[in-house]
Amino acid sequence: MTAFLPSARGRDALASPIRRLTPFADAAKGRGVSVLHLNIGQPDIPTPTAVIDAYRAFAEPVLAYGPSEGTLAYRTALAAYYNDLGYESGGRAIEANDVIVTTGGSEALLFGIAATCDPGDEILVAEPYYPNYRGFSHILAVGTRAVTTTAQGGYRVSAAQVAEAIGARTKALVLSSPGNPTGTVLSSQELRDIATVCRDRGVFFLSDEVYRDFVYDAAICEGGSTAPGLLAQPGFDDNALLIDSVSKRYSACGARIGCLVTRNRALRAAVLKFAQTRLSPPVVDQLAAHAALATPSAVLRSAIDDYRRRRDALVAGLRAIPGVQVRSPDGAFYLFATLPVDDAEKFCIWLLDHFEVDGETVMMAPADGFYATPGLGKDEVRIAYVLQVAKLVRACAILGRALQSYPGRRPAA
Ligand SMILES: *Cc1c(COP(=O)(O)O)cnc(C)c1O
């Protein structure tokens, strides 16, 4: 009898560190314990009404395929949006043809890595990194090489580190700023320095900017309204790719619309061929994403203000717990915290398995899954602040109590 086993790459794929503990959370819920989800970045801010209305307004008799690269109307509107952000000054103005609409930023990452790397090549990431970078490169038989950033260094990656890490098979750097999972935001100077190293060494720079709007200190925006963007920096027309998404910006993760933007025509042609194999990105969702572009900036601002309050409440709550170390993140809606525990994964499981306060416990993502280097992140967790302030305050109280009772607590240094 033949055993029908999955491929080696299917067997070897890594489980998501964000969802890995879900069976333990389900078991807790089965026992009647409610779980505060700090593990996952699913925003709870209402999707703008214009987006919901666009879905309701769909009235075509046939739900047909759309163009593989996305509709011209939406791509034209996106180009205008980017030029308004100042990307015009980064080289020639962004045109509709520079934009390929994808099924979420996720597909833009998949296509971006596939268009820049062959099997056996590698991407460079700055750990802790967004785990799906490795997930996608794994699917493509592309390796992952990591430069390590640290809590002490504010989780910033330098051009010198990138220069040192680039190897013979490094074809692309994949970096998110504002960063998931660290919340670190790079300045335009840092972006330029890193992009310059990449360009000089023949390496593409895939800049994942899906959290562009989520910046909590105006100075970081350098006079604009969003985090500095790679395509706004002059001189990188050939090696710069932007990865973008409506998921976080419009609190519309289920819309499954993102895009890849590049001024490099040859790269765009390759991505378009990939896009043609999957025929079309979602059609109705594109109408909704197009409508989303008209969201008044006041609506976005108020969401950012909410997240800032959440961040501040969470950071204050965590700092009040003895032995917990945390830096206040500048952007996105995640932070990394160092806990006084023997093993963060064991502690996260114990929280779900063995601990509750008034029928409630907390779920966090153990940090080791955000590192490529074995052994790193053993005492760190990623916390998403996508819950209301009152819940974050409760979560910190639960965490404080839990750290008093946890048997694997590490004595204060
Ligand atoms: C959420 C996220 C994405 C893409 O999400 P989609 O929902 O597929 O658009 C990409 N990069 C980072 C860092 C993210 O957090």
Side-chain angles (χ1 to χ4, degrees):
M1 288 288 279
T2 313
F4 285 93
L5 296 173
S7 62
R9 77 173 98 174
R11 287 196 301 272
D12 296 346
L14 296 169
S16 158
I18 298 153
R19 298 171 189 267
R20 198 167 64 192
L21 304 189
T22 300
F24 297 96
D26 290 344
K29 289 172 193 167
R31 296 193 310 274
V33 174
S34 67
V35 177
L36 291 166
H37 282 277
L38 302 178
N39 60 308
I40 199 149
Q42 161 65 59
D44 66 342
I45 302 267
T47 309
T49 43
V51 177
I52 305 291
D53 288 347
Y55 283 102
R56 295 215 170 101
F58 183 78
E60 297 296 322
V62 177
L63 186 43
Y65 288 125
S68 298
E69 66 273 35
T71 66
L72 180 59
Y74 182 42
R75 289 184 296 114
T76 303
L78 278 172
Y81 161 73
Y82 292 122
N83 290 322
D84 280 350
L85 286 179
Y87 292 10
E88 241 162 353
S89 60
R92 67 165 171 73
I94 302 294
E95 298 164 2
N97 276 344
D98 300 328
V99 181
I100 292 182
V101 179
T102 54
T103 309
S106 300
E107 192 182 62
L109 283 165
L110 181 69
F111 288 172
I113 297 170
T116 55
C117 300
D118 283 311
D121 289 340
E122 63 189 14
I123 58 165
L124 186 62
V125 298
E127 64 184 1
Y129 59 92
Y130 179 57
N132 290 340
Y133 296 160
R134 193 173 180 186
F136 286 128
S137 62
H138 178 85
I139 291 174
L140 296 166
V142 168
T144 305
R145 181 189 285 246
V147 300
T148 306
T149 69
T150 63
Q152 299 87 313
Y155 298 109
R156 307 192 91 80
V157 60
S158 69
Q161 276 180 301
V162 170
E164 197 184 340
I166 289 171
R169 307 236 35 189
T170 311
K171 295 291 158 60
L173 168 72
V174 189
L175 212 58
S176 68
S177 173
N180 175 4
T182 62
T184 296
V185 186
L186 299 179
S187 68
S188 56
Q189 184 67 53
E190 286 172 303
L191 284 175
R192 279 196 295 278
D193 290 348
I194 293 169
T196 302
V197 166
C198 288
R199 186 188 57 204
D200 294 351
R201 302 282 293 276
V203 170
F204 290 100
F205 184 171
L206 278 67
S207 185
D208 181 340
E209 301 176 9
V210 305
Y211 294 100
R212 156 182 327 111
D213 301 274
F214 299 87
V215 178
Y216 304 114
D217 175 355
I220 291 169
C221 298
E222 301 178 7
S225 58
T226 58
L230 178 60
L231 294 187
Q233 314 308 321
F236 309 106
D237 286 8
D238 291 336
N239 74 318
L241 285 81
L242 167 66
I243 306 293
D244 210 348
S245 165
V246 305
S247 291
K248 316 295 164 38
R249 179 173 160 89
Y250 302 112
S251 199
C253 296
R256 309 313 306 137
I257 295 291
C259 66
L260 185 152
V261 187
T262 180
R263 295 184 177 100
N264 180 323
R265 298 260 183 228
L267 207 65
R268 181 185 177 280
V271 173
L272 179 58
K273 285 184 276 178
F274 296 144
Q276 286 167 346
T277 65
R278 61 83 167 108
L279 307 178
S280 162
V283 167
V284 186
D285 303 78
Q286 262 177 103
L287 297 171
H290 191 166
L293 283 171
T295 304
S297 60
V299 171
L300 294 177
R301 284 293 114 206
S302 107
I304 306 306
D305 290 342
D306 254 339
Y307 281 113
R308 186 186 299 103
R309 281 191 285 275
R310 293 166 176 200
R311 176 197 68 168
D312 292 344
L314 177 64
V315 168
L318 291 172
R319 284 190 175 149
I321 305 173
V324 173
Q325 280 164 17
V326 63
R327 53 177 287 283
S328 185
D330 292 325
F333 36 67
Y334 311 92
L335 59 74
F336 251 45
T338 308
L339 304 181
V341 296
D342 56 347
D343 182 302
E345 170 159 10
K346 273 197 225 157
F347 176 62
C348 291
I349 292 173
W350 179 86
L351 273 167
L352 296 168
D353 256 3
H354 283 86
F355 194 77
E356 60 170 277
V357 176
D358 301 332
E360 209 169 33
T361 192
V362 170
M363 181 171 184
M364 301 178 297
D368 58 350
F370 297 87
Y371 288 90
T373 305
L376 292 182
K378 283 286 178 215
D379 60 354
E380 287 174 303
V381 288
R382 188 195 73 165
I383 300 178
Y385 42 101
V386 291
L387 302 177
Q388 286 148 23
V389 166
K391 287 186 176 171
L392 293 172
V393 169
R394 283 214 310 278
C396 289
I398 293 170
L399 204 55
R401 297 263 295 271
L403 282 167
Q404 286 170 358
S405 338
Y406 178 59
R409 189 187 161 93
R410 224 184 36 215

